């Protein structure tokens, strides 16, 4: 597994240009990962309402604009349960009304727990599975053949309240 760290006060994890180049794909319809959200990914209480925004874990962008056609796994702390993280499916689709994204809760996991994630393109749906729990989300925009892997990103509006470590293995 590769560890990605989002430093306190930042949105992005640091990745090399070589990783970005290796993340280019063609006609990807199945995207499988194993991930661990380390204990540093949980905090409480929320600092403000923006701490309820979804943080991006990983996913796929179809085409060059990840805000017009992409599907991801996202997360946020369960502020009522120490060490628990809520996992969501998240789709940007320029064919939907504003806002141009939808999200759906999948499951909750414990920090430090190894989790299996899978995103599958099934025609006009994305099937998103974490640890055997699946949701279906609309895929209304035709997927480009050219695609890119998406890396951890903190926020919404807020930046990371502390250094956060996320381990990901791309399968």
């Amino acid at each position: 597994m590769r560890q990605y760290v989002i430093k306190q006060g930042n949105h992005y994890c640091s990745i090399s240009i070589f990783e970005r180049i290796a993340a280019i794909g063609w006609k990807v319809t199945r995207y499988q990962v194993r991930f661990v959200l380390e204990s540093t990914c949980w905090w409480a209480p929320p600092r403000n309402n923006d701490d309820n925004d979804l943080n991006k874990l990983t996913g796929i962008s179809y085409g060059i604009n990840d805000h017009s056609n992409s599907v991801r796994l996202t997360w946020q702390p369960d502020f009522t349960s120490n060490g628990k993280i809520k996992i969501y499916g998240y789709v940007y689709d320029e064919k939907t009304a504003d806002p141009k994204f939808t999200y759906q809760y999948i499951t909750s996991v414990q920090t430090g727990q190894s989790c299996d994630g899978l995103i599958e393109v099934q025609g006009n749906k994305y099937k998103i599975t974490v640890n055997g729990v699946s949701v279906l989300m609309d895929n209304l925009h035709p997927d480009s053949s050219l695609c890119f892997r998406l890396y951890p990103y903190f926020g919404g509006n807020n930046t990371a309240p502390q250094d956060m470590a996320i381990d990901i293995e791309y399968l």
Side-chain angles (χ1 to χ4, degrees), residues 100-111:
K100 298 199 180 302
F101 63 89
T102 56
Y103 61 93
Q104 190 171 342
Y105 173 78
I106 302 172
T107 191
S108 291
V109 300
Q110 186 67 40
T111 57

Side-chain angles (χ1 to χ4, degrees), residues 11-160:
H11 288 289
Y12 295 93
C13 64
S14 61
I15 54 175
S16 73
I17 187 68
F18 302 109
E19 281 182 276
R20 291 228 183 252
I21 291 169
I24 298 171
W26 189 257
K27 295 185 180 182
V28 174
T29 59
R30 183 178 169 85
Y31 181 79
Q32 190 170 4
V33 296
R34 182 161 294 125
F35 64 91
V36 176
L37 292 154
E38 298 295 347
S39 61
T40 54
C41 293
W42 190 88
W43 76 97
R47 298 167 290 179
N48 54 44
N49 277 346
D50 288 327
D51 267 350
N52 291 307
D53 290 345
L54 296 175
N55 306 300
K56 285 60 174 188
L57 177 61
T58 189
I60 311 166
S61 174
Y62 292 96
I64 58 172
N65 183 355
D66 65 330
H67 289 135
S68 68
N69 193 22
S70 63
V71 57
R72 317 163 186 247
L73 293 171
T74 59
W75 63 276
Q76 70 178 195
D78 180 342
F79 293 113
T80 64
S81 187
N82 190 15
K84 285 283 193 186
I85 303 283
K86 297 177 185 177
I87 305 293
Y88 295 81
Y90 189 96
V91 174
Y92 274 111
D93 192 330
E94 67 183 16
K95 299 289 184 188
T96 61
D98 282 328
K100 298 199 180 302
F101 63 89
T102 56
Y103 61 93
Q104 190 171 342
Y105 173 78
I106 302 172
T107 191
S108 291
V109 300
Q110 186 67 40
T111 57
Q113 175 186 351
S114 181
C115 303
D116 293 314
L118 177 63
I119 297 170
E120 297 174 284
V121 178
Q122 297 183 342
N124 65 350
K125 298 284 184 190
Y126 293 114
K127 182 179 181 184
I128 306 169
T129 305
V130 174
N131 291 345
V133 180
S134 298
V135 298
L136 290 175
M137 299 184 71
D138 287 337
N139 177 17
L140 303 176
H141 187 284
D143 293 330
S144 168
S145 295
L146 179 65
C147 52
F148 299 88
R149 177 183 304 149
L150 299 172
Y151 292 96
Y153 176 89
F154 188 91
N157 301 358
N158 286 346
T159 58

